[in-house]
Amino acid sequence: MEKDQIPTVKNPSKWFGYGVQALVYLAKLEAKHCCPSGNIAENIHSQATLLRRILAALARANIVHAQEGRVGGYQLAKPASKILLSDVYNALHIRGPLFTGLIDTLPDDRCGQALQMPFEDIVEGADDLLLGYLSTITIEDLVNKALKK
């Protein structure tokens, strides 16, 4: 897969949700040891196979550290205060239904071709706004909010 090519994600909102939950869980553990993916999956009510795919993407982005073997598992690669939700969003190459659906609805005719650039501008603007907002929230913020409840 080329660098700029975005992988197809079946349900991107689930990937993002599970990814964030896994990071919050790891941050709450404050463990110096790795946590197996099965334990994380059980605690966030996810399928272990799906979670391993998500964690692999987060490991490639240096958000989590993955250790293989009998004592292997995952742990945060940096403090929770340094992990922005925008980092997670970008690591998972999330593009929601609005983003892909808007462009996918264009017909293959002159009208569709005329709307291609304006639709791409809308998608890019919406993505920029979302990333701007997500860059104001850290995993530590979510941990703190969760502990208050």
Side-chain angles (χ1 to χ4, degrees):
M1 182 177 305
E2 294 192 24
K3 185 180 178 185
D4 295 330
Q5 194 175 11
I6 296 172
T8 304
V9 175
K10 220 174 196 181
N11 192 335
S13 60
K14 282 191 175 186
W15 275 56
F16 185 66
Y18 286 137
V20 169
Q21 288 179 69
L23 294 171
V24 167
Y25 179 73
L26 290 172
K28 285 168 122 178
L29 287 179
E30 297 178 1
K32 293 187 172 136
H33 303 288
C34 292
C35 183
S37 59
N39 290 10
I40 302 168
E42 184 178 317
N43 279 279
I44 67 169
H45 306 285
S46 169
Q47 295 175 340
T49 304
L50 171 62
L51 187 61
R52 278 191 291 277
R53 287 186 197 135
I54 294 167
L55 291 168
L58 295 175
R60 284 190 298 276
N62 296 317
I63 294 172
V64 297
H65 172 72
Q67 183 175 327
E68 295 182 17
R70 188 172 54 87
V71 293
Y74 298 87
Q75 63 189 132
L76 296 182
K78 51 188 168 184
S81 63
K82 302 289 184 196
I83 302 172
L84 302 172
L85 292 190
S86 57
D87 297 335
V88 178
Y89 180 89
N90 284 325
L92 297 176
H93 303 286
I94 302 297
R95 296 300 177 267
L98 167 66
F99 303 147
T100 57
L102 188 61
I103 304 256
D104 291 344
T105 63
L106 293 173
D108 193 23
D109 61 13
R110 287 182 70 183
C111 180
Q113 291 171 0
L115 286 173
Q116 181 76 30
M117 286 300 288
F119 274 23
E120 287 177 6
D121 290 344
I122 291 168
V123 168
E124 186 177 324
D127 201 41
D128 289 345
L129 288 170
L130 179 59
L131 277 171
Y133 178 67
L134 292 177
S135 69
T136 67
I137 304 167
T138 67
I139 293 299
E140 183 180 64
D141 294 334
L142 295 177
V143 169
N144 291 337
K145 287 180 182 179
L147 292 176
K148 284 183 182 179
K149 290 189 173 190

